[in-house]
């Protein structure tokens, strides 16, 4: 984090040429002093001038059309950079819009600070009916990792320091910082103001694991006949890429990447067991989790997915878990070897421990995995070679797969149901932190916020593969993409509805079914409305040409990819979570 000389607001006061600063400038100075150079937000009362002054001070201020998208942008900027992403909103409704993203960031362990202006404390607390009256601090508290309010200009430095530390230290998460309108105009002596700011030293301190914990884990791993490593998005966040690669390759243990850990090692890596997922989970005897939680995405570590007799039964695996949060251990099943620490330090300690010698896993285990994997890969190749008219998910994603292969630095943003699940298994990733998706909550609406931030913080091309329903949640941000001329290529997989476009209204009435959209909609026109490139693609060849051109030109592009409306299944791969009524009427 670089040092920046704080800006000083010069006001000609009547008594002398005294130099004063104010709340606006102190907030900006505190951010810049801590190496934070970008704000994602939406101007309005009382933070309009803050956005202007931040821009004037040299910060990048990216204005959105809805705070939730700005919040999602901040959250993913945090994930990509390990610095808290900043989302700035107005009071009450703007704050609430941003809050959904803050809660999602916390759930996903992304470091983010939601800074919201708020109305006058005296009126809010007596509930006397202020403009946008709301006790924002109280509302934010249960939905984030920490929440603070600053009432006096001289406390801005401390408030910001606390927010930064809370966001990035330990398990990262979302932090709320409440700045009442009156604070911004408060003045104080510039020199005293400068001194009140804090440049946070070592905001995310290393957490070294206990040597005996590492030894216990390595001993368990050594005893295994069928070991498996699961890499989660915590491992991607940790930016310990070289150490993780080294651990996987030196131990020779097969690994499964969780969705956002894809590319940590190339998905084409010989040890990837992704294509044999349903074989390795129940068969493994020792499973080592690296920055992955045993939540719903891993069937809570038990049940049939893990070879258990019924949906709640333990499958018999022993677990090693590397995580920065000690409370994560035993959250679902027994963790036999917990290793608490930051992933970089933990993995380095493992590497040190195995230096004395390591026997690769038995070849029966590796061969059995390879057999399943090759069968699945061959099946996939066969499916991808088909060229149905209209396109289905596979034939369209075959194109995306080639484009990512040719452009491994491009960032892939992905949301939807079928559009998400098919993309995850079909499109290989080659580099770390290149796949950004719906995460722990499986939330829709992250698409354009993530795309804007990914383009802004990385400068790399972004490809957003969007279900037509998912796109609707943040679609208006194509204007933002055009306004900042970002190299984002949005591909809307348009099958006329949520899951599919084939449902009918059983009453025969004039309304369409709840899951159905306007048939044959032209999402490409939305991009054209703001000066971007719109393309209507009905075949893989058209899709390929348009994506190649988008990458080449770096122009904001939206491709309306027409997908067979009968393609796709209800809820994609998680149909079992969607209760359906057995009753006919
Ligand atoms: C994976 N697979 C492959 C490959 N990669 N086959 C061939 N080639 C490649 N490269 C196989 C894999 O072995 C599985 O087959 C199957 O493809 C699916 O793999 P996936 O996606 O890894 O596994 P699965 O079972 O879907 O994973 C469970 C899950 C996942 C819960 C982790 O579904 C998930 O992340 N879901 C998120 C859903 C979500 O959030 N939706 C948004 C809400 S939508 P088998 O081994 O044969 O099983 C609202 O409706
Ligand atoms: P996935 O959805 O990919 O399985 P999760 O979000 O469930 O991943 O899990 C991420 C885990 O990584 C969390 O338990 C979090 O505490 C942990 N984590 C995040 N950053 C670090 C880090 N730097 N070191 C260790 N653990 C981390």
């Amino acid at each position: 984090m670089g040092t920046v000389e704080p800006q000083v607001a010069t006001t000609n006061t009547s008594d002398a040429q005294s130099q004063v600063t104010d709340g606006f400038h102190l907030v900006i100075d505190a951010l810049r002093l801590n190496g934070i150079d970008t704000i994602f937000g939406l101007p309005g009362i009382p933070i309009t001038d803050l956005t202007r002054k931040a821009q004037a001070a040299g910060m990048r201020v990216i204005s959105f059309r809805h705070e939730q998208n700005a919040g999602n942008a901040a959250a993913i900027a945090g994930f990509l950079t390990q610095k808290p992403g900043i989302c700035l909103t107005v009071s009450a409704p703007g704050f609430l819009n941003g809050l959904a993203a803050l809660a999602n960031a916390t759930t996903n362990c992304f470091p983010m600070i939601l800074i919201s202006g708020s109305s006058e404390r005296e009126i809010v607390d007596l509930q006397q009916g202020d403009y946008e009256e709301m006790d924002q601090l109280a509302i934010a508290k249960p939905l984030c990792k920490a929440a603070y309010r600053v009432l006096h200009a001289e406390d801005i430095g401390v408030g910001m320091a606390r927010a930064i530390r809370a966001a990035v230290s330990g398990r990262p998460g979302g932090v709320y910082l409440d700045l009442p309108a009156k604070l911004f105009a408060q003045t104080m002596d510039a020199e005293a103001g400068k001194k009140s700011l804090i440049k946070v030293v070592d905001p995310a301190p290393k957490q070294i694991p206990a040597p005996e914990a590492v030894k216990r884990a390595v001993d368990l791993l050594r005893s295994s006949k069928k070991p498996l490593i699961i890499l989660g998005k915590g491992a991607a966040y940790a930016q310990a890429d070289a150490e993780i690669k080294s651990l996987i390759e030196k131990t020779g243990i097969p690994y499964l990447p969780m969705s956002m850990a894809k590319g940590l090692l190339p998905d084409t890596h010989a040890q990837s067991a992704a294509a044999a997922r349903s074989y390795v989970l129940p068969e493994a005897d020792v499973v080592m989790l690296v920055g992955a939680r045993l939540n719903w995405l891993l069937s809570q570590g038990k049940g049939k997915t893990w070879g258990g007799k019924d949906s709640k039964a333990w499958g018999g695996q022993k677990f090693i878990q590397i995580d920065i949060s000690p409370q994560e251990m035993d959250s679902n099943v027994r963790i036999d070897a917990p290793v608490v620490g930051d992933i970089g330090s933990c993995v380095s300690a493992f590497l040190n421990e195995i230096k004395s010698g390591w026997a690769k896993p038995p070849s029966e285990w590796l061969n059995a995995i390879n057999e399943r994997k090759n069968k699945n890969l061959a099946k996939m190749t066969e499916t991808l070679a088909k060229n149905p008219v209209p396109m289905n998910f596979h034939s369209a994603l075959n194109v995306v797969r080639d484009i990512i292969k040719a452009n491994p630095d491009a960032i892939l943003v992905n949301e939807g149901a079928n559009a998400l699940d098919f993309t995850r298994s079909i499109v290989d990733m080659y580099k770390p932190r290149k796949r950004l998706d719906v995460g722990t909550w499986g939330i829709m609406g992250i698409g354009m916020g993530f795309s804007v931030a990914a383009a802004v913080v990385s400068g790399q091309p972004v490809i957003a593969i969007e279900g037509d329903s998912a796109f609707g949640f943040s679609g208006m941000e194509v204007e933002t993409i055009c306004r900042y001329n970002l190299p984002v290529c949005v591909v809307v997989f348009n099958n006329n509805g949520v899951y599919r476009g084939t449902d009918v209204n059983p009453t025969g009435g004039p309304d369409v079914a709840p899951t159905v959209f306007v048939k044959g909609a032209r999402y490409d026109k939305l991009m054209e409305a703001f000066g971007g490139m719109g393309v209507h693609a009905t075949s893989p060849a058209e899709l390929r040409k348009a994506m190649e051109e988008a990458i080449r030109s770096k122009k904001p592009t939206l491709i309306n990819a027409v997908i067979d409306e009968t393609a796709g299944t209800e809820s994609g791969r998680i149909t079992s979570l969607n209760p359906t009524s057995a009753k006919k009427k």
Side-chain angles (χ1 to χ4, degrees), residues 23 31 44 90 92 131 201 239 249 252 283 300 327 334 336 352 369 379 394 404 453 528 536 538 556:
L31 289 169
V90 303
Y131 165 75
V201 177
Q239 298 195 15
E249 291 181 346
E283 285 295 321
Q300 266 82 29
Q327 281 162 287
R334 178 191 309 120
D336 300 274
N352 208 31
I369 295 173
K379 222 184 327 168
H394 289 88
I404 292 286
E528 285 176 357
H536 183 61
T538 59

Side-chain angles (χ1 to χ4, degrees), residues 8-25:
V8 172
T10 314
T11 315
N12 280 325
T13 50
S14 51
D15 51 312
Q17 294 295 308
S18 68
Q19 283 204 315
V20 296
T21 186
D22 63 14
F24 286 111
H25 289 85

Side-chain angles (χ1 to χ4, degrees), residues 185 209 314 387 506:
W314 176 51
N387 201 356

Side-chain angles (χ1 to χ4, degrees), residues 171 232-234 237-238 258 291-293 295 323-324 341-343 440:
R171 171 182 278 177
K233 61 171 137 23
Y237 174 78
M258 297 300 288
R293 287 170 285 188
N295 56 16
D323 205 289
I324 203 151
D342 70 276
I343 286 168
T440 306

Side-chain angles (χ1 to χ4, degrees), residues 446-496:
I446 50 89
M448 298 304 103
F450 277 18
S451 295
V452 168
V456 166
V457 304
S458 75
Q460 297 292 342
V462 174
I463 294 170
I465 303 299
E466 300 275 311
D468 50 348
S469 165
F471 175 70
F473 290 74
S474 66
M476 193 63 202
E477 303 297 345
V478 296
E479 190 275 332
T480 310
I481 292 170
C482 289
R483 190 165 9 109
Y484 295 102
N485 196 24
L486 298 172
V488 176
C489 172
V490 183
V491 184
V492 176
F493 276 30
N494 187 358
N495 65 351
N496 296 342

Side-chain angles (χ1 to χ4, degrees), residues 363-382:
S363 52
E364 301 85 73
W365 174 231
L366 303 181
N367 292 344
I369 295 173
N370 276 335
E371 196 184 307
R372 261 67 177 197
K373 177 175 157 178
N374 292 337
K375 220 183 271 169
N376 261 350
L377 291 176
K379 222 184 327 168
M380 178 72 85
T381 310
E382 204 178 295

